[in-house]
Amino acid sequence: MGFLFRNAGSSERQADAAVDVPLRSARAPNGAERCDSDLLARRPALLDEKLKLHGRIIDEFNLAVLEKLSPDELRREVQAYVANYVRAERISLNQKELEIFTGEVLAEMTGFGPIEPLLKDPTVNDILINTHKLCFVERFGKLERANVRFKDEAHLLRIINKIVSGVGRRVDESSPMVDARLPDGSRVNVAIRPVSVDGPMVSIRKFAERALDVDRLIELGTLSRPMGETLRAAVRGRISLIVSGGTGTGKTTLLNALSHFIPDEERLITIEDAAELQLQQLHVGRLETRPPNIEGRGEIRQRDLVRNALRMRPDRIIIGECRGEEAFDMLQAMNTGHEGSMTTIHANSPRDALKRLEQMVAMANMGLPIPSVRSQIASALTIIMQLQRLPDGRRKLISINEVTGMEGDVIQMHEIFRYVKERTDAAGNIVGHFAATGIRPLFLQELAPYGIEVPAVHFDADRRM
């Protein structure tokens, strides 16, 4: 493999000299080979060797040639180099551990270092790094500590810079906080010194390679079949809606699932801080905000993108999360021919979601009186959905509400479906059921002429779902 090296002669002589040294097998006290995946956790000294090897490969390999190799060819070349290094340094590794160690070196070269296995683990939803010393993951709604090791703060910062540079963002003392995304769409938030007192903090919200649809969410127990069919009718009938909930309740997941019901012939424009929506339609335009540059100029806010989207002939505008003054322009769009638009909002209840919208419209400094703002909200929005993550880690759509108009200065709405919590079982799981309130949505009357119907039995209060 001499063509891979900048200085092929010396490197090949070093490798050839090491070939005849056998690998020693690392065995547990009972004689069984130890080859579990937490190799670096059991043998911290290998972390230094991994980083040393990574530096040597960068120095000695011909990087222009490496970029042209397929993943399998690259792995073979690196594995041969690592095997020779391990023999030369008399590092005690068995064959399985050698494969794991090679994978760690490759992750440093082509991936995101120690967190690469967590990114590939489909059971991990969130990766939370609290400085280089601690890492936690969320699996099935529960947090647990992960066996992830960074050598030091500089090592973690190198991984952070690799992540943010991939999407044209930067993080340094002058800009110590950043939102970014990974190639698979996973959302990343980073905070470093001086705002993060003890060292860099990284939060990664992973997303499945393929977005969940409503049928899958019904199987998981997030909502019931009647709720799903009602939401399907609302989306196909261009009813504007908002998904409300706290952090990690599954707002974006539900928004993705509902987007599957949008007809393919419609033109959609998505607006996000960090692009994470996974719409399946063909006619989709994706817009993303941009932070200011080092001189404090060039910032593009969500409000700017909403205004621009209105000039792009959208049928619907989908805002990943409404959190500021863009709420005013979003309501204007919903009231002026862009029915069926959707967004998410952080709130603990549907009524709180309406109050937050009022506050965000006030941030636009338009000087509108509160009754006028409430009238616009009542006219623009029809459905508010409330998500909640239960103490047992499961996510539930606990309420679907319909906004029915104004009575005086108060926005009126009624609940259509709810999740009823009954008890907690011996395992700590919440036992409950979905139920209709007995109220049939008013918007279904508007959809009937278009052939969009929902069986009346779905809204029977005596029917257990």
Side-chain angles (χ1 to χ4, degrees):
M1 62 178 183
F3 70 94
L4 286 175
F5 292 98
R6 294 193 182 101
N7 188 359
S10 62
S11 297
E12 282 193 291
R13 284 194 298 273
Q14 180 183 6
D16 291 340
V19 165
D20 295 330
V21 181
L23 285 173
R24 290 178 292 173
S25 178
R27 295 181 177 273
N30 62 2
E33 289 190 354
R34 299 182 62 183
C35 53
D36 46 310
S37 60
D38 60 342
L39 177 63
L40 296 186
R42 291 188 287 104
R43 303 176 62 180
L46 288 178
L47 182 55
D48 291 330
E49 297 292 346
K50 179 184 73 169
L51 297 179
K52 187 191 301 183
L53 252 177
H54 178 237
R56 287 183 55 170
I57 289 173
I58 294 300
D59 290 338
E60 297 182 13
F61 273 53
N62 187 332
L63 299 183
V65 175
L66 280 182
E67 291 176 356
K68 298 177 182 179
L69 296 180
S70 69
D72 289 339
E73 291 173 327
L74 176 61
R75 183 175 184 87
R76 282 196 298 270
E77 298 292 352
V78 172
Q79 189 166 23
Y81 186 87
V82 171
N84 290 330
Y85 177 85
V86 167
R87 293 187 182 100
E89 298 295 325
R90 302 296 199 274
I91 300 173
S92 178
L93 293 177
N94 59 34
Q95 188 60 39
K96 181 62 177 179
E97 290 174 333
L98 176 63
E99 294 175 6
I100 295 171
F101 188 53
T102 301
E104 293 280 350
V105 174
L106 275 169
E108 287 288 335
M109 291 179 59
T110 63
F112 299 108
I115 63 173
E116 188 71 19
L118 299 179
L119 293 171
K120 294 178 179 178
D121 187 343
T123 67
V124 173
N125 297 322
D126 287 272
I127 304 171
L128 307 171
I129 302 171
N130 299 344
T131 76
H132 68 281
K133 300 176 182 178
L134 281 175
C135 179
F136 294 85
V137 297
E138 181 197 286
R139 285 189 173 94
F140 311 110
K142 298 287 187 179
L143 287 175
E144 59 186 62
R145 187 168 176 176
N147 284 326
V148 169
R149 297 289 187 276
F150 295 93
K151 176 178 172 58
D152 49 29
E153 188 170 317
H155 183 200
L156 176 55
L157 283 171
R158 183 164 62 81
I159 300 299
I160 289 172
N161 282 312
K162 192 171 185 179
I163 292 172
V164 300
S165 63
V167 290
R169 301 288 173 93
R170 62 183 178 83
V171 59
D172 51 38
E173 287 188 4
S174 63
S175 179
M177 297 182 295
V178 67
D179 281 313
R181 68 180 186 274
L182 297 177
D184 64 358
S186 297
R187 186 176 65 201
V188 182
N189 178 269
V190 174
I192 65 171
R193 300 179 193 271
V195 297
S196 180
V197 177
D198 299 319
M201 298 184 67
V202 182
S203 304
I204 301 176
R205 170 66 51 81
K206 285 180 57 183
F207 290 94
E209 293 183 4
R210 184 171 183 176
L212 300 178
D213 58 17
V214 169
D215 287 335
R216 179 58 179 153
L217 292 179
I218 292 172
E219 293 175 12
L220 295 173
T222 302
L223 68 160
S224 67
R225 180 69 60 183
M227 296 165 76
E229 292 186 13
T230 302
L231 293 176
R232 176 182 181 276
V235 174
R236 293 194 65 83
R238 296 178 63 85
I239 299 298
S240 296
L241 54 86
I242 190 167
V243 183
S244 170
T247 300
T249 54
K251 298 185 297 298
T252 303
T253 299
L254 180 58
L255 196 64
N256 271 323
L258 294 177
S259 71
H260 289 199
F261 298 139
I262 300 175
D264 290 335
E265 61 268 18
E266 293 190 20
R267 174 171 168 80
L268 312 178
I269 301 295
T270 68
I271 298 170
E272 302 172 84
D273 277 332
E276 54 188 339
L277 290 172
Q278 298 171 292
L279 273 59
Q280 306 301 310
Q281 287 77 8
L282 178 64
H283 205 169
V284 177
R286 306 171 72 200
L287 302 179
E288 187 178 57
T289 61
R290 188 178 72 182
N293 59 22
I294 196 168
E295 291 87 16
R297 293 178 295 189
E299 179 183 15
I300 299 176
R301 302 168 301 168
Q302 280 202 144
R303 187 177 189 187
D304 301 323
L305 295 178
V306 174
R307 289 174 170 176
N308 188 74
L310 294 173
R311 304 184 182 99
M312 300 174 72
R313 199 260 175 225
D315 289 305
R316 307 191 198 212
I317 297 174
I318 300 178
I319 301 177
E321 183 182 338
C322 191
R323 64 178 70 182
E325 56 192 11
E326 69 275 1
F328 174 78
D329 299 278
M330 179 194 71
L331 294 175
Q332 293 294 308
M334 290 179 173
N335 278 321
T336 55
H338 299 90
E339 301 91 346
S341 296
M342 299 183 281
T343 188
T344 70
I345 189 172
H346 277 268
N348 293 325
S349 70
R351 184 61 63 180
D352 285 347
L354 294 177
K355 292 178 181 177
R356 282 214 66 207
L357 276 175
E358 289 181 30
Q359 295 165 357
M360 289 188 288
V361 170
M363 294 169 64
N365 295 319
M366 303 301 295
L368 296 175
I370 291 298
S372 176
V373 173
R374 290 176 180 171
S375 178
Q376 287 201 34
I377 293 173
S379 178
L381 287 175
T382 302
I383 293 179
I384 301 177
M385 293 165 283
Q386 185 67 38
L387 283 162
Q388 183 179 357
R389 183 167 60 176
L390 302 180
D392 58 14
R394 292 180 298 170
R395 296 166 173 86
K396 298 287 184 181
L397 181 55
I398 63 169
S399 182
I400 298 180
N401 293 259
E402 181 184 28
V403 177
T404 57
M406 297 281 294
E407 185 173 317
D409 291 341
V410 180
I411 299 175
Q412 297 296 307
M413 62 180 175
H414 54 227
E415 192 173 41
I416 303 170
F417 296 101
R418 65 165 64 105
Y419 179 73
V420 180
K421 306 179 187 72
E422 299 173 356
R423 58 185 175 86
T424 302
D425 63 17
N429 297 317
I430 303 297
V431 178
H433 67 276
F434 295 102
T437 61
I439 299 175
R440 182 176 174 83
L442 297 178
F443 68 80
L444 291 181
Q445 299 174 13
E446 304 174 15
L447 304 185
Y450 302 101
I452 301 174
E453 297 182 354
V454 179
V457 69
H458 286 351
F459 309 104
D460 186 352
D462 297 326
R463 180 174 177 238
R464 190 183 181 97
M465 299 181 190

